Amino acid sequence: MDHCYIVGIRVNHRVANAGKLQDLLTKYGCNIKLRVGLHETNENYCSDDGIIMLQVCGEKDKLEGMVSALDALDGIRAKMLDLD
């Protein structure tokens, strides 16, 4: 049975870690319904750290595997929130 969850991802050193993070998100792309990326920016500054929020849907085991794979990447921390 499919369920939906919120996944929070903390990205340190966005520029250096974006490629491997994007590859993994693409692998699970059919499970991602919503993706929002946030980082500090203004006309004089652009942070190299950020946060990504996902709404993911699918089998819980598969989604937990995605979160574990994300969390295993250097500079990436991921947590899944179950609102049931």
Side-chain angles (χ1 to χ4, degrees):
M1 181 177 188
D2 286 355
H3 296 282
C4 292
Y5 304 91
I6 299 297
V7 174
I9 305 169
R10 173 80 171 134
V11 183
N12 294 317
H13 311 294
R14 285 184 314 112
V15 175
N17 294 319
K20 57 189 172 185
L21 173 62
Q22 183 58 46
D23 288 345
L24 195 53
L25 292 176
T26 299
K27 178 180 175 181
Y28 290 94
C30 290
N31 297 99
I32 298 172
K33 291 184 75 170
L34 174 75
R35 175 179 171 173
V36 177
L38 306 167
H39 69 279
E40 182 70 31
T41 187
N42 64 40
E43 62 190 41
N44 299 316
Y45 176 74
C46 183
S47 175
D48 196 31
D49 299 329
I51 295 173
I52 297 173
M53 206 171 37
L54 305 175
Q55 179 190 20
V56 296
C57 297
E59 294 179 20
K60 187 173 185 177
D61 290 344
K62 181 175 184 177
L63 300 175
E64 286 174 339
M66 177 190 74
V67 171
S68 293
L70 287 166
D71 201 46
L73 294 174
D74 287 338
I76 309 293
R77 288 295 158 253
K79 303 285 184 200
M80 187 164 72
L81 175 63
D82 184 352
L83 297 174
D84 282 338

